[in-house]
Amino acid sequence: MSFRLLQNTALRARTTTATISVRTSGRIRLCPMSTSAPQYEYILTSKPAEGVALITLNRPKALNALSSPLFLELNKALTGFDEDEDIGAVVITGSERAFAAGADIKEMKDKTYSEVYQTRFLENWSDLTKLRKPIIAAVSGYALGGGCELALMCDIILASPTAVFGQPEINLGVIPGGGGTQRLARTIGKSRTMELVLTGRNFSAVEAESWGVVSRVVGEGEGKVVEEAVKMAAVIASKGRLAVQAGKEAVNDAYETTMKEGLKAERRLFHGLFATSDQKEGVSF
């Protein structure tokens, strides 16, 4: 199914009861949309498959530049889906041209040090990393600056062959402020991160895959990366919710703590799942 069709259907869902369809395993699945869903200005939301939520950044004229109002809406939508018992995984995407081309420069150009420090500017960007449910970034086109940082905050990244990543903030006289220096260094190492941050060089989807930044690069075609992300999200959503949550927590512990602490956390989570009905059902033959 094309990205454009997904986007147009999501637009109609803002005012009427509609259905979203996505092709999975050769079949079309229809999911009803509720007219009671929150209304947003800078994002579109839909449920393209059972257990899956899709959030589309929707500032096409600004190449989905990440403004504070957009991030407030994104965090609100993500929190809602995290609390929705019918949702097991979330996909975030942009347009074919740009996932998100960076932070909103117009918003930042007149800010002062005292203002950004006192208001904790960009601090709420990391709120999505606190959610329990897996988040998949489906990246086409530009994912630069804040767009690259948003993708890095997600649990899994799928990229189209057209995806371009980068942290070009040095060209504006600043450095990444939404986690780029930290998350990239933990993913691709100090030397490559230093090169990207200090030169502002962009890197391709092929490089991102070879460095481990993205899970994989999907095939060519408009909307293909969204289609593949929704399929993956549907598979995840079909698994036991507690096990998925525990798996995400354990992997993040490996990313953020020492080996000793990570192994201890993994064992505790593993042992805890023996108290669940999913585990009893899963090991019954």
Side-chain angles (χ1 to χ4, degrees):
M1 181 181 186
S2 73
F3 169 80
R4 187 171 298 166
L5 181 55
L6 275 171
Q7 188 181 55
N8 290 342
T9 311
L11 277 166
R12 291 197 298 271
R14 299 174 79 175
T15 55
T16 62
T17 299
T19 59
I20 300 291
S21 62
V22 65
R23 187 174 299 277
T24 56
S25 302
R27 295 179 297 175
I28 295 293
R29 177 178 296 167
L30 299 177
C31 299
M33 292 295 295
S34 170
T35 55
S36 62
Q39 303 298 299
Y40 298 109
E41 182 177 356
Y42 301 109
I43 63 173
L44 305 172
T45 61
S46 59
K47 297 179 180 180
E50 185 176 350
V52 178
L54 174 65
I55 299 176
T56 305
L57 307 182
N58 187 38
R59 295 189 70 198
K61 292 182 179 179
L63 296 180
N64 293 327
L66 300 173
S67 63
S68 293
L70 184 151
F71 241 98
L72 287 173
E73 291 189 354
L74 179 61
N75 285 334
K76 180 179 179 180
L78 285 167
T79 299
F81 287 133
D82 199 49
E83 296 172 351
D84 188 338
E85 294 182 358
D86 293 330
I87 297 300
V90 181
V91 175
I92 299 177
T93 193
S95 66
E96 289 294 323
R97 187 180 178 191
F99 175 74
D104 192 332
I105 296 175
K106 291 182 179 179
E107 179 184 6
M108 295 191 298
K109 67 182 182 67
D110 294 324
K111 289 187 179 296
T112 63
Y113 168 76
S114 61
E115 180 183 358
V116 297
Y117 183 76
Q118 289 178 340
T119 61
R120 298 180 176 180
F121 184 53
L122 301 190
E123 188 172 317
N124 68 334
W125 281 28
S126 294
D127 287 355
L128 67 89
T129 64
K130 303 171 186 176
L131 302 183
R132 299 168 300 165
K133 295 173 182 175
I135 303 172
I136 302 172
V139 179
S140 287
Y142 296 112
L144 305 177
C148 185
E149 291 170 312
L150 173 58
L152 290 169
M153 283 186 266
C154 296
D155 300 300
I156 300 170
I157 306 174
L158 296 185
S160 76
T162 66
V164 178
F165 300 87
Q167 300 290 166
E169 289 88 347
I170 197 75
N171 298 322
L172 301 177
V174 294
I175 65 171
T181 62
Q182 305 304 300
R183 292 189 174 91
L184 271 178
R186 284 165 170 77
T187 303
I188 65 176
K190 175 184 174 181
S191 183
R192 281 199 179 112
T193 301
M194 200 69 82
E195 175 194 352
L196 297 174
V197 170
L198 300 186
T199 67
R201 179 177 81 83
N202 296 339
F203 57 101
S204 68
V206 173
E207 288 177 297
E209 183 179 35
S210 68
W211 295 347
V213 175
V214 307
S215 177
R216 58 187 167 91
V217 178
V218 306
E220 296 182 357
E222 183 178 356
K224 183 67 174 178
V225 69
V226 176
E227 181 181 336
E228 291 297 319
V230 169
K231 286 181 180 179
M232 181 183 289
V235 171
I236 294 171
S238 71
K239 309 300 182 182
R241 298 290 169 82
L242 287 176
V244 168
Q245 181 179 337
K248 171 175 174 171
E249 185 176 337
V251 173
N252 280 333
D253 279 339
Y255 181 76
E256 297 169 355
T257 65
T258 65
M259 174 69 80
K260 181 179 179 179
E261 291 302 314
L263 288 171
K264 184 186 297 185
E266 180 190 69
R267 282 194 299 272
R268 287 176 177 172
L269 289 165
F270 172 70
H271 293 160
L273 290 171
F274 278 72
T276 67
S277 58
D278 286 340
Q279 187 272 343
K280 301 307 177 191
E281 181 180 343
V283 299
S284 298
F285 297 98

